[in-house]
């Protein structure tokens, strides 16, 4: 890296939270590095110190908590998500979404926490987690707060995360376990690409949830539908809620069209 | 800061700055230039090495992050002055043209074969999807891997009309 | 040469032997220019223009110069050298004006890249942004701003090119054959349309890199990733007015070139930085983003084709107008214009033809040589147009092509007569048509359609190309025998990945009748140690250097026989040889080994005869001529390699999503010296062609800034983008003057893939596209709007 910075790897949660509070924005948290390193190289980020978060046990692991919700440590990599038995059995949409991110090398490093904090509107995992109605557990030296992922995202690559806070765990509500799922991602090539438009659809016995990526400043979740909702309603809601743009990757018309197409395909798949 | 790493089985104890990437570290501090920089941004895979058993784009990993780690590069593929079975298959099936993507490509394949000794054509394609090759069109690379794993039933050939 | 030897008598040629250059690449020990480190080496970095067109009002480098660790800072006003391969129009650093986004404005050399970057950040440039010229057609309007107001003052190769001073035309190539207006009058149907291509980058996996050193007394050493060491030396010598002997160019392993490294690029700047830094070597390596904007790309093209066809299917007249969007500097683009100009109609006979091909300056990264040298770009237009023409008279596109294909007795655009030995494009088309079962869907394909809801379409296209090179292109191979009877061959064709080295080694081994294990071709090229070659471009290397290799082998053998004759007291007519020795034909137990003769023969008493065995083979293109500047008639073609592709695609009729199911390729290579290598070229080029067809292309904003200078948005095919099935064929119509009948094929596999895809997509679902790349969105738009989807606005 041509930009100079120093590197620390705290081993205790308290240590890292204190560090972040004291450094007042001069630090960046490093998990997988697949976004941060790219941004530093491009001159978009110029931290004085990199704080490696991979040494903190509290941010690792995938396990059910006392309430029966699934808690995923923020530094869990895509590879670990894809190989995790609980996810494969109960939350396979996460396995699917993680498998669509980048290349094998990137998946070995990119983390679920990183994906959420980068908050790209195209985020594959982020979109899937919205469909699952996930919550984000945010830690700071002042304590822990939990908020819905949809509130965590506030704009293009912007989240509620303050510079002394860290995403600790991602919580998936227990009613989403075992849900039927489907994901469609529009790309320019069959190789790795970010989503030009994406749709995730989850169906339990009682609800049907849809999240859409790359068609708004953030990934968005449509309102929750009853499981027996008609396709027409979902299409209409999707049409209303998306706000795609024209850019060098795709036009807004095409994105809007493909969202409708994906909604239809996934709906049929989940019948 | 001081880091201790194992590279191709040999231990090294080196002083690195916080911003040194693993790629630069391997090329400059360890002196192994086989691993290449193709884009510096984690897209092309020319810098692929195996870190603690998994492939990574070393241009996006800091040397400091590899402290205590076990790194495998292309230089460790041949043993005792002899080409590995995989390298021999690449030789025979012309899996190499300009050679710039080859070190990273071999590492991705090596990691694949450790987990999956008899990959299908599709599994090979998925494993090397993050290794760009502009020369070969990938086909002869895939055939080399199939041959190295004893799976190449019929060698596809140039047909003379 | 040796084109008639039957296959069963060839030992090495025609066999898929292992390549001779790949062990080092497989073990990581191959050193590329970026791996080299020299004592005292500094690192260079370049400050680039963020504007497409601007006046440089002020550059302040004072802070940069003072930074600790900085050894040199350069700006354009210090470097009053203009360079250019054919038209001398480019300063090493922008002088007074910038002409494209990403152009080099200043450069530094420092002790580390970190310091160099800091120095770059301290350089202050004030620009007055001007309105750029971004379209090659409107650039020709009367009042269009001029990219090069001084065009009339530039030196250029007068025998070949025609710049038009006072305009944005760097070159106008003309071709006039027959009477095109009369032809249109006689035609039953006239079809006219425009086809367009964007700029595309070569994307070699190794970006441009070089290490330049300019020492006392103007002694210059350059290590570079390049395709043509003697071109680097020659241009350097001319531009800086330094004797050739002062300049030493070395090329180690090269990580791909595809034409982008054919000329001279970063070398002058690296050397100038070195000179300013007191002679310390300076390494300049392009980042991937710089590769996309600072370094050149492939020119864009607007191609207008008007064709007159008789109801019988014969093309009677064709008017072709090419507007090459060549960017800010002429570089190779003027020659691309010329080479495509004389090839512009594809491998078809056009009795009455009119070509106007313009190299147009625009304010964009400039176009250089790229695999195919214009043919990929114009083939898109021609092959789409051939399908359109066929449909207009309700003829099968394949039959239409067969009918109009160049055959023995046909006359090409330049007036060259096609003979039975030129090659057989019809055979290529037939091979691929058969392979994809062109003309109908198989039961399996119909079942696939029913299952997936996708529509399957097929196409067959054809191509041709001759090497685009000066008619006097020559080359040398020097063959030295080693003490153990093996040989080492020196020549400066560069091995950029195509496998030519192995093929030439096979040719030399065959000519010597040695096993290939005894022939070494060192990869590194060195202008001090190796003999001349023009450039590694144009698919001419195999033919010219292969021939030179044969001649070198024959020369070495002649010297060996001469020596052996003395030693064995026999006339050379009574001698024969095998891989170890020269012997008397009728007394084979009387022999002398090559080992004994390799460095001169010594008798038992110490007397010596002969000398170290060395063979020299020189070959120069025979009988070629410049093209008449008015009519375009002449004999420019060393050889013609014909080819064809058959492509099967399935398209979603609603969303435009498509999958390439199969690509079959056939090329008339004369003789496949190494079939595995030929297949490697065929598939590699095909996929690179699919990249152009499916997803590659520069995108600019209205101010001419490049919006996709990285892999994030300039996608290239990955392993998952390979068609499901690939098949490669060769036809072998021997090239009489080719080594063992061979002709080149390095570029050809890329040429017609785009047209193949466009035609197959249209046949599948009706989507009619005239602009590349063919993105899913473009197909969708064409399906829904039912109009021809043209150039993206």
């Amino acid at each position: 890296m041509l930009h100079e910075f120093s590197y620390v790897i705290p081993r205790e949660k308290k240590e890292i939270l204190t560090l972040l509070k004291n450094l007042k924005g001069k630090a960046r948290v490093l998990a997988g590095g697949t976004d941060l390193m790219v941004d530093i190289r491009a001159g978009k980020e110029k931290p004085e110190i990199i704080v490696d978060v991979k040494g903190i046990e509290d941010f690792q692991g995938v396990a059910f908590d006392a309430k029966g919700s699934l808690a995923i440590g923020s530094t869990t990599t895509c590879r670990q998500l894809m190989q995790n038995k609980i996810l494969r059995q109960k939350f396979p949409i996460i396995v699917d979404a993680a498998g669509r991110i980048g290349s094998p090398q990137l998946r070995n490093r990119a983390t679920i926490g990183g994906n959420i904090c980068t908050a790209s509107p195209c985020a594959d995992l982020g979109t899937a987690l919205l469909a699952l109605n996930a919550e984000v557990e945010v830690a700071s030296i002042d304590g822990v707060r939990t908020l819905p992922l949809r509130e965590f995202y506030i704009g293009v690559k912007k989240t509620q995360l303050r510079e002394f806070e860290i995403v600790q765990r991602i919580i998936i509500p227990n009613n989403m376990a075992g849900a039927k799922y489907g994901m469609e991602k529009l790309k320019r090539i069959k190789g790795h690409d970010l989503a030009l438009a994406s749709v995730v659809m989850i169906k339990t016995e009682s609800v049907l949830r849809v999240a859409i990526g790359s068609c708004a400043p953030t990934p968005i979740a449509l309102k929750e539908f009853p499981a027996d909702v008609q396709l027409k309603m979902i299409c209409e809601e999707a049409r209303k809620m998306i706000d795609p743009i024209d850019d060098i990757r795709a036009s807004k018309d095409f994105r809007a069209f493909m969202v409708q197409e994906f909604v239809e395909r996934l709906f049929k798949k989940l019948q | 800061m001081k880091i201790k790493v194992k590279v191709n089985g040999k231990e090294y104890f080196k002083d690195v700055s916080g911003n040194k990437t693993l790629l630069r570290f391997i090329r400059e501090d360890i002196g192994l230039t086989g691993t290449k920089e193709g884009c510096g941004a984690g897209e092309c895979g020319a810098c692929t090495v195996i870190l603690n058993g998994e492939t990574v784009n070393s241009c996006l990993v800091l040397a400091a992050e590899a402290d205590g780690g076990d790194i495998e590069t292309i230089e460790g593929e041949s043993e005792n002055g002899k080409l590995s079975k995989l390298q021999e298959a690449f030789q025979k099936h012309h899996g190499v043209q300009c050679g710039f993507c080859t070190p990273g490509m071999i590492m991705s394949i090596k990691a694949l074969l450790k987990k999956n000794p008899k990959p299908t054509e599709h599994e090979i394609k998925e494993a090397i999807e993050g290794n760009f090759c502009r020369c070969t069109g990938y086909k002869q690379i895939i055939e080399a891997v199939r041959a190295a794993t004893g799976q190449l039933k019929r060698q596809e050939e140039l047909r003379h009309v | 040469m040796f084109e008639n030897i039957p296959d069963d008598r060839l030992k090495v040629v025609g066999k898929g032997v292992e390549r001779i250059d790949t062990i080092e690449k497989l073990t990581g020990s191959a050193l590329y220019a970026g791996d080299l480190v020299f004592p005292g080496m500094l690192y260079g970095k370049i400050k680039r223009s963020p504007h497409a067109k601007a006046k440089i009002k002020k550059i302040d480098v004072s802070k940069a110069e003072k930074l600790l660790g900085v050894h040199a800072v350069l700006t354009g006003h210090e470097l009053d050298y203009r360079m250019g391969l054919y038209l001398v129009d480019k300063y090493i650093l922008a002088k007074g004006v910038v002409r494209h986004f990403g152009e080099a404005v200043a450069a530094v050399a420092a002790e580390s890249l970190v310091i160099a970057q800091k120095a770059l950040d301290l350089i202050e440039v004030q620009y007055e942004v001007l309105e750029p010229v971004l379209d090659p057609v409107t650039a020709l309007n009367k009042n269009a701003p001029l990219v090069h107001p001084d065009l009339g003052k530039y030196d250029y190769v007068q025998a070949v090119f025609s710049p038009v001073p006072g305009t944005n035309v760097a070159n106008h190539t003309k071709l006039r054959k027959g009477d095109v207006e009369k032809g249109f009058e006689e035609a039953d149907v006239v079809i006219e349309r425009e086809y367009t291509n964007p700029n595309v980058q070569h994307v070699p996996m190794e970006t441009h890199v070089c290490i330049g050193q300019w020492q006392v007394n103007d002694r210059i050493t350059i290590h570079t990733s390049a395709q043509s060491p003697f071109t680097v030396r020659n241009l350097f010598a001319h531009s800086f007015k330094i004797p050739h002997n002062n300049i030493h160019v070395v090329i180690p392993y090269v990580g791909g070139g595809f034409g982008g490294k054919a000329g001279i690029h970063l070398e002058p700047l690296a050397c100038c930085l070195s000179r300013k830094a007191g002679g310390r070597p300076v390494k300049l390596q392009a980042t991937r983003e710089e590769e996309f904007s600072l370094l050149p790309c492939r020119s864009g093209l607007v191609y207008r084709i008007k064709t007159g066809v008789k109801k019988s299917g014969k093309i009677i007249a064709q008017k072709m107008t090419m507007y090459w969007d060549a960017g800010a500097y002429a570089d190779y683009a003027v020659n691309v214009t010329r080479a495509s100009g004389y090839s512009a109609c594809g491998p078809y006979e056009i009795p009455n033809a009119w070509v106007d091909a313009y190299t147009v300056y625009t304010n964009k990264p400039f176009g250089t040589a790229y695999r195919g040298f214009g043919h990929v770009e114009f083939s898109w237009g021609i092959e789409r147009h051939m399908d359109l023409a066929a449909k207009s008279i309700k003829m099968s596109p394949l039959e239409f092509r067969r009918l109009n294909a160049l055959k023995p007795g046909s006359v090409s655009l330049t007036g060259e007569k096609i003979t039975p030995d030129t090659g057989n494009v019809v055979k290529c088309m037939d091979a691929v048509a058969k392979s994809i079962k062109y003309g109908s869907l198989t039961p399996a394909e119909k079942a696939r359609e029913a299952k997936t809801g996708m529509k399957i379409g097929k196409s067959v296209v054809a191509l041709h190309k001759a090497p685009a090179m000066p008619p006097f292109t020559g080359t040398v191979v020097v063959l030295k025998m080693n003490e153990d009877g093996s040989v080492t061959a020196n020549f400066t064709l560069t091995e950029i990945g195509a496998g030519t080295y192995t093929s030439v080694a096979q040719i030399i081994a065959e000519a010597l009748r040695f096993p290939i294990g005894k022939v070494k071709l060192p990869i590194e090229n060195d202008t001090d140690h190796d003999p001349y070659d023009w450039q590694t471009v144009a698919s001419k290397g195999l033919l010219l250097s292969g021939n030179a290799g044969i001649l070198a082998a024959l020369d070495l053998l002649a010297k060996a026989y001469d020596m052996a004759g003395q030693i064995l007291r026999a006339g050379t007519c009574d001698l024969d040889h095998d891989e170890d020795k020269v012997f008397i034909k009728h007394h084979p137990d009387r022999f002398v080994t090559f080992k004994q003769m390799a460095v001169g023969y010594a008798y038992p008493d110490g007397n010596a005869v002969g000398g170290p065995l060395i063979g020299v083979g020189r070959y120069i293109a025979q009988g070629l001529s410049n093209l008449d500047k008015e009519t375009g008639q002449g004999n420019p073609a060393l050889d013609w390699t014909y080819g064809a592709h058959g492509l099967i695609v399935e398209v979603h009729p609603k969303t435009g999503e498509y999958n390439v199911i199969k690509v079959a390729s056939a090329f008339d290579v004369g003789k496949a010296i190494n079939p595995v290598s030929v297949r490697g070229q065929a598939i590699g080029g095909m996929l690179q062609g699919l990249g152009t067809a499916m997803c590659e292309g520069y995108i600019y904003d209205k101010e001419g800034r490049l919006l996709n200078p990285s892999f994030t948005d300039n996608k290239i095919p990955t392993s998952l983008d390979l068609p499901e099935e690939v098949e490669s064929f060769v036809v072998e119509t021997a090239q009489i003057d080719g080594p063992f009948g061979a002709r080149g094929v390095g570029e050809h596999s890329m040429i017609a893939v785009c047209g193949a895809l466009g035609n197959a997509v249209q046949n599948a679902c009706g989507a009619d596209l005239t602009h590349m790349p063919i993105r899913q969105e473009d197909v969708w738009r064409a399906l829904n709007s039912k109009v021809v989807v043209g150039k993206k606005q």
Side-chain angles (χ1 to χ4, degrees), chain C residues 760-782:
Chain C
V761 164
Q762 185 169 11
N763 289 334
C765 65
D768 195 357
L769 297 154
T770 58
H771 179 70
M772 274 203 275
I774 301 168
R775 305 170 308 158
Q776 181 183 340
E777 175 166 347
D778 298 311
V779 180
W780 168 78
R781 213 168 275 285

Side-chain angles (χ1 to χ4, degrees), chain C residues 583-595:
Chain C
F583 55 89
I584 298 177
K585 281 188 231 177
H586 44 287
H587 291 301
D589 53 330
R590 307 263 339 275
F591 63 85
V592 57
T593 66
F594 283 109
K595 271 191 203 158

Side-chain angles (χ1 to χ4, degrees), chain C residues 249-320:
Chain C
V249 181
V250 180
I251 299 181
Y253 284 83
V254 176
F258 309 107
K261 296 177 182 172
I264 190 168
H265 296 293
L266 296 176
E267 298 88 350
L269 184 55
C271 290
C272 290
L273 281 168
S274 170
R275 182 174 59 173
K276 191 142 191 213
R280 291 175 77 161
V282 175
K283 181 189 264 187
L284 259 185
Q285 179 148 28
T287 64
R288 183 56 64 180
E289 289 79 4
E290 285 166 347
E291 191 71 21
F292 277 115
S293 59
L294 165 71
L295 275 318
C297 57
R298 195 174 76 196
S299 300
L301 174 64
V302 174
Y303 193 12
R304 293 184 183 155
I305 311 173
K306 180 177 172 184
T307 307
V309 185
K310 305 284 278 177
K311 269 202 282 261
S312 63
K314 270 294 199 172
I315 297 172
I316 186 154
Q318 192 155 288
K319 188 163 184 209
M320 295 153 277

Side-chain angles (χ1 to χ4, degrees), chain C residues 107-169:
Chain C
V108 308
E111 288 161 23
S112 72
L113 280 172
V114 171
I115 299 172
Q117 181 61 53
K118 283 201 176 109
L120 227 53
D121 294 337
L122 291 172
I123 296 176
E124 290 160 6
V125 189
Q126 272 178 38
Y127 295 101
E128 183 192 321
V129 183
L130 301 167
E131 181 83 29
V133 175
L134 296 175
D135 175 81
V137 178
T138 57
L140 300 183
N141 291 345
K142 229 178 171 183
N143 295 317
L146 295 181
V147 180
H148 286 271
D150 289 337
L151 180 56
K153 299 195 188 128
Y154 296 161
D155 284 332
Y156 66 97
V157 179
Q158 298 197 11
V160 181
F161 299 110
S162 311
V164 184
T167 72
N168 284 316
V169 177

Side-chain angles (χ1 to χ4, degrees), chain C residues 700-713:
Chain C
Y700 299 91
D701 66 14
K702 290 201 177 68
E703 280 80 45
R705 285 187 290 258
L706 185 61
L707 294 173
N708 58 342
S710 77
F711 286 134
T712 307
D713 289 311

Side-chain angles (χ1 to χ4, degrees), chain C residues 430-464:
Chain C
D430 287 344
V432 300
K434 187 168 169 215
S435 169
I436 64 167
K437 300 188 177 50
Y438 181 81
S440 62
L441 295 186
T442 65
E445 284 161 353
K446 290 201 183 110
R448 183 170 175 153
E449 276 191 329
K451 184 163 176 232
T452 61
M454 309 268 264
K455 292 270 174 243
I456 294 179
K458 301 184 182 181
S459 70
V460 169
V461 296
L463 60 109
H464 71 167

Side-chain angles (χ1 to χ4, degrees), chain C residues 69-220:
Chain C
V70 170
H71 288 247
V73 181
L74 282 175
T75 59
H77 78 265
E78 295 168 76
L79 300 175
D80 198 15
Y81 309 98
R82 261 212 305 265
M83 309 191 93
L85 285 161
Y86 302 106
L87 178 64
V88 184
D89 62 357
K90 184 173 187 298
Y91 286 109
I92 297 169
L93 289 172
K95 204 162 179 262
V97 290
V98 290
R99 295 189 170 87
H100 71 85
F101 173 86
E103 181 164 9
V105 170
V108 308
E111 288 161 23
S112 72
L113 280 172
V114 171
I115 299 172
Q117 181 61 53
K118 283 201 176 109
L120 227 53
D121 294 337
L122 291 172
I123 296 176
E124 290 160 6
V125 189
Q126 272 178 38
Y127 295 101
E128 183 192 321
V129 183
L130 301 167
E131 181 83 29
V133 175
L134 296 175
D135 175 81
V137 178
T138 57
L140 300 183
N141 291 345
K142 229 178 171 183
N143 295 317
L146 295 181
V147 180
H148 286 271
D150 289 337
L151 180 56
K153 299 195 188 128
Y154 296 161
D155 284 332
Y156 66 97
V157 179
Q158 298 197 11
V160 181
F161 299 110
S162 311
V164 184
T167 72
N168 284 316
V169 177
N171 174 47
H172 177 191
T173 291
K174 293 184 220 175
L175 192 140
R176 315 281 183 247
K177 181 189 178 199
D179 185 340
V180 83
E181 291 308 324
K182 182 154 172 274
F184 284 133
E185 281 168 27
E186 290 173 15
D188 294 319
V189 186
V190 175
I191 311 106
E192 193 171 358
R193 205 155 71 157
E194 179 180 288
Y195 305 89
T196 51
N197 303 54
N199 294 120
V200 172
Q201 230 282 329
H202 313 67
V203 190
M205 289 322 298
E206 178 200 29
T207 59
H208 283 72
V209 53
C210 69
I211 302 167
Q213 186 169 24
W214 193 322
Q215 292 171 297
V216 169
N217 276 15
D218 294 334
R219 305 200 77 75
I220 292 161

